[in-house]
């Protein structure tokens, strides 16, 4: 089955700097990779996703890149703001419609 | 669109009692819903896949007799934690897949369960 690894587990950045979170997956057949943001005690919110037919997708300050050969995908947040502080999870499909989640990255943006 | 609700948002119960958690898709029909549990500062662990009109599919290590799942309609799945014990205390979150050929899952707000 699919195995997802996520790094780093914690990340502190100064406000305005960029943050990068990386995930690797094991199943070369995986073709859809979402990123979720979870604030304390709240539900995970989908922030961006990418399909395997593209290498990069951008939405304002958030971008995701995918390297199918190396089997990794990364979340990039530019011009970070304090409200970006949260836990971010990547996921990869496993079986029919199921997700396997990464272990999460706790991002802290320092004002 | 793609709104998922959960009820209750939190529950405290005595050890040995059963607790039912509801997950509803409010503006779409969900043939497939998923149940996760999340311990503090940990990731989401998939417990089971709930399929409308058929039996749920449980992940390895999840006791199907303890975590009863029913998906009787296209908008409602329920998770019943039977004979709850303190180690069952956790944050339970459901998600639903929008049946449009996409893989995107939308999450409910979660239910915090505390078993005394």
């Amino acid at each position: 089955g699919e195995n997802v690894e996520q790094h780093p587990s914690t990340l502190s950045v100064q406000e305005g700097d960029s943050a990068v979170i990386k995930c690797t997956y094991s199943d070369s057949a995986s073709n859809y990779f979402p990123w979720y943001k979870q604030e304390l005690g709240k539900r995970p919110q989908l922030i961006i996703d990418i399909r395997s037919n593209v290498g990069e997708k951008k939405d304002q300050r958030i971008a995701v890149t995918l390297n199918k050969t190396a089997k990794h995908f990364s979340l990039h947040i530019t011009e970070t703001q304090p409200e970006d502080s949260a836990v971010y999870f990547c996921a990869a499909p496993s079986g029919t419609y199921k997700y396997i989640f990464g272990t999460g990255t706790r991002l802290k943006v320092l004002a | 669109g793609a709104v998922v609700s959960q009820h209750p948002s939190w529950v405290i119960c005595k050890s040995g009692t059963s607790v039912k958690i509801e997950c509803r898709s409010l503006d779409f029909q969900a043939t497939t819903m998923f149940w996760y549990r999340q311990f503090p500062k940990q990731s989401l662990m998939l417990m089971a896949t709930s399929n409308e009109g058929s039996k749920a599919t449980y992940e390895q290590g999840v006791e199907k007799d303890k975590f009863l799942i029913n998906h009787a309609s296209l908008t409602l799945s329920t998770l019943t934690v039977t004979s709850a014990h303190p180690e069952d205390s956790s944050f339970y979150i459901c998600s639903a897949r929008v049946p449009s050929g996409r893989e995107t899952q939308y999450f409910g707000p979660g239910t915090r369960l505390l078993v005394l």
Side-chain angles (χ1 to χ4, degrees):
Chain A
E2 180 68 276
N3 184 44
V4 178
E5 294 189 1
Q6 184 172 345
H7 299 282
S9 56
T10 60
L11 179 60
S12 292
V13 298
Q14 287 295 133
E15 183 177 0
D17 287 351
S18 295
V20 181
I21 303 169
K22 183 176 174 178
C23 285
T24 60
Y25 61 98
S26 59
D27 187 351
S28 56
S30 293
N31 58 4
Y32 174 73
F33 306 93
W35 283 93
Y36 286 85
K37 174 184 180 183
Q38 186 179 30
E39 297 178 3
L40 189 63
K42 302 284 183 66
R43 78 182 83 196
Q45 298 267 20
L46 178 71
I47 55 171
I48 197 166
D49 55 13
I50 191 168
R51 298 185 181 282
S52 58
N53 58 346
V54 297
E56 183 174 0
K57 182 176 176 182
K58 195 171 181 180
D59 182 3
Q60 299 182 352
R61 295 186 298 108
I62 295 173
V64 55
T65 57
L66 171 65
N67 183 325
K68 288 177 60 180
T69 304
K71 288 189 280 187
H72 66 71
F73 57 109
S74 299
L75 176 71
H76 304 254
I77 306 174
T78 58
E79 300 172 35
T80 53
Q81 301 167 4
E83 51 264 38
D84 294 329
S85 296
V87 180
Y88 292 81
F89 292 100
C90 63
S94 175
T96 307
Y97 306 129
K98 295 195 302 185
Y99 287 172
I100 297 297
F101 280 86
T103 48
T105 297
R106 189 171 301 275
L107 174 65
K108 191 178 232 183
V109 179
L110 307 169
Chain B
V3 179
V4 178
S5 72
Q6 252 181 270
H7 178 82
S9 55
W10 60 271
V11 58
I12 302 173
C13 69
K14 291 182 179 178
S15 188
T17 60
S18 294
V19 174
K20 181 186 279 189
I21 303 169
E22 294 185 347
C23 177
R24 292 181 187 273
S25 55
L26 298 186
D27 53 358
F28 65 99
Q29 294 183 328
T31 54
T32 307
M33 292 183 172
F34 304 90
W35 286 97
Y36 296 84
R37 66 189 295 181
Q38 186 178 34
F39 291 109
K41 298 188 177 181
Q42 292 191 23
S43 187
L44 296 103
M45 300 301 296
L46 179 65
M47 299 174 66
T49 302
S50 173
N51 302 296
E52 188 270 335
S54 64
K55 289 183 180 179
T57 305
Y58 290 81
E59 295 300 301
Q60 193 171 10
V62 178
E63 299 175 60
K64 58 182 68 176
D65 293 331
K66 180 166 183 65
F67 299 100
L68 301 179
I69 291 172
N70 185 283
H71 194 154
S73 79
L74 286 170
T75 59
L76 173 64
S77 175
T78 60
L79 168 69
T80 301
V81 183
T82 62
S83 186
H85 288 94
E87 58 265 30
D88 298 323
S89 299
S90 188
F91 192 48
Y92 292 86
I93 313 179
C94 70
S95 72
R97 175 185 155 266
V98 179
S100 59
R102 294 179 61 87
E103 301 89 336
T104 306
Q105 291 183 27
Y106 293 91
F107 284 84
T111 297
R112 193 162 301 281
L113 170 64
L114 177 61
V115 185
L116 302 176

